[in-house]
Amino acid sequence: MIKRTLGDRLFDGANYAAMLIIFVIMVYPFLYIINYSLSDPALISGSALLLPQNPNIDAYVLAFSDSSIVNGIFISVARTISGSALMIFFTSMAGYVLTRDDLIAIRFFRRFFVLTMYFSSGIIPAYILMNELHLAGTFLVYILPSAVAVFNLILIKTYIEGLPKSLEESALIDGANDFQLFFRIIFPISKPVIAAVVLFACIAQWNAFIDTQFYNAMNTDLYPLQYVLYNALQSISSIEQITIGRRVQHVTPESLKMAITVITVLPIMLVYPILQKYFIKGLLIGSIKG
């Protein structure tokens, strides 16, 4: 047993106090948004809003009655599922290929992929490329450009390199080809890194809205939920369009903005704690060898 001194206890107390302050600073803004969206705006004063005032869900009822928000949810869910699945399919296979030392010019390909993390073509060349490929103005522009993510590729490659080589050798001896080796042996036992990469991909796809502004700004049917929220926060006119013709009690433009914000953030908040252990493990892949 180590005897704790007064200085040790004061140090621990200061750490706890600092963590509590950081927790309040991070959590209270979102708690305020939730309480505001559930409150009667007429009862909200300038003081801290710790609990909803006259709780109601009128703002959420109005939000889900608007077709642009419902369509935005559909587009966000569709791009998150399809984009993440496509990225996992291609990125995992590319990561496995880069572990093969017998591949011709393997060093060049490894350096080439890493080089793309530091240099990009820029916004204008990227838009010209998407336009020439006839992807601008389509749903595919959300998922095809992100089909291979180099950072996730490196995570998968590093994880596969840590697997026993005897697994591959035994499968090859039994007559398995490269596709069978990857999909039946390597991929199933790579669940920790795959789960971490899936989390990265889902968060990136769900939170994306800049690509909509670049390629689909004129196509309202392809607005994801994040871009709907972006328009709502940038312009009061978009909120007024939702409220025009609908008389809903206890709803103001501000409370409607808060409700849309909660609808946008809540899915990730529910999924993140479930996959948090894989998220941490994914960040540590390759940092420790044992």
Side-chain angles (χ1 to χ4, degrees):
M1 298 293 293
I2 299 177
K3 185 177 180 179
R4 298 177 60 81
T5 64
L6 178 61
D8 294 334
R9 295 177 180 177
L10 291 176
F11 179 77
D12 290 342
N15 282 336
Y16 291 141
M19 292 298 102
L20 180 60
I21 293 173
I22 294 174
F23 175 79
V24 171
I25 292 174
M26 295 177 63
V27 172
Y28 176 72
F30 190 70
L31 180 63
Y32 180 88
I33 293 175
I34 295 177
N35 291 336
Y36 197 111
S37 66
L38 295 172
S39 299
D40 184 350
L43 302 178
I44 297 177
S45 61
S47 58
L49 190 61
L50 299 178
L51 293 173
Q53 303 297 318
N54 188 18
N56 62 86
I57 59 172
D58 292 344
Y60 293 92
V61 172
L62 179 58
F64 282 109
S65 67
D66 182 69
S67 59
S68 64
I69 296 177
V70 176
N71 182 72
I73 295 175
F74 173 76
I75 294 297
S76 292
V77 172
R79 70 174 295 177
T80 299
I81 295 177
S82 59
S84 301
L86 191 69
M87 192 277 294
I88 287 297
F89 180 77
F90 286 106
T91 301
S92 60
M93 287 197 300
Y96 169 68
V97 169
L98 292 182
T99 64
R100 306 299 297 268
D101 294 329
D102 56 345
L103 180 66
I104 299 176
I106 183 62
R107 292 185 178 181
F108 167 77
F109 287 113
R110 289 171 179 170
R111 294 173 182 175
F112 175 79
F113 276 104
V114 173
L115 187 66
T116 61
M117 297 179 63
Y118 298 97
F119 300 96
S120 64
S121 60
I123 297 175
I124 295 178
Y127 177 81
I128 294 174
L129 176 61
M130 294 299 109
N131 194 48
E132 290 294 327
L133 294 175
H134 303 288
L135 293 178
T138 67
F139 178 78
L140 293 177
V141 77
Y142 294 146
I143 60 177
L144 289 184
S146 59
V148 176
V150 177
F151 178 77
N152 297 334
L153 184 151
I154 293 175
L155 290 181
I156 296 175
K157 169 183 172 295
T158 304
Y159 185 89
I160 294 176
E161 287 177 338
L163 298 177
K165 292 296 182 182
S166 57
L167 292 174
E168 297 184 21
E169 294 173 354
S170 60
L172 293 175
I173 292 175
D174 291 337
N177 55 38
D178 288 329
F179 284 97
Q180 293 173 330
L181 173 61
F182 176 72
F183 286 108
R184 293 188 178 183
I185 297 178
I186 302 299
F187 191 85
I189 63 177
S190 301
K191 289 182 180 179
V193 67
I194 296 299
V197 170
V198 166
L199 180 60
F200 297 153
C202 289
I203 292 176
Q205 287 285 358
W206 183 265
N207 291 332
F209 68 95
I210 294 296
D211 49 3
T212 303
Q213 191 171 26
F214 288 159
Y215 308 119
N216 287 329
M218 303 302 294
N219 193 345
T220 57
D221 293 335
L222 294 177
Y223 283 4
L225 185 60
Q226 291 287 352
Y227 196 71
V228 174
L229 174 62
Y230 171 80
N231 287 334
L233 297 178
Q234 291 293 322
S235 175
I236 192 65
S237 60
S238 59
I239 291 296
E240 291 177 345
Q241 291 176 1
I242 299 176
T243 57
I244 289 176
R246 300 184 180 95
R247 295 183 178 180
V248 181
Q249 193 178 9
H250 309 311
V251 177
T252 64
E254 287 300 324
S255 62
L256 184 56
K257 288 181 182 179
M258 299 298 182
I260 298 174
T261 302
V262 174
I263 295 172
T264 303
V265 177
L266 193 59
I268 291 297
M269 290 188 62
L270 296 177
V271 173
Y272 191 86
I274 300 175
L275 299 178
Q276 183 180 14
K277 60 179 180 180
Y278 298 112
F279 178 82
I280 297 174
K281 185 178 294 185
L283 291 178
L284 294 178
I285 290 175
S287 62
I288 300 176
K289 295 289 184 180

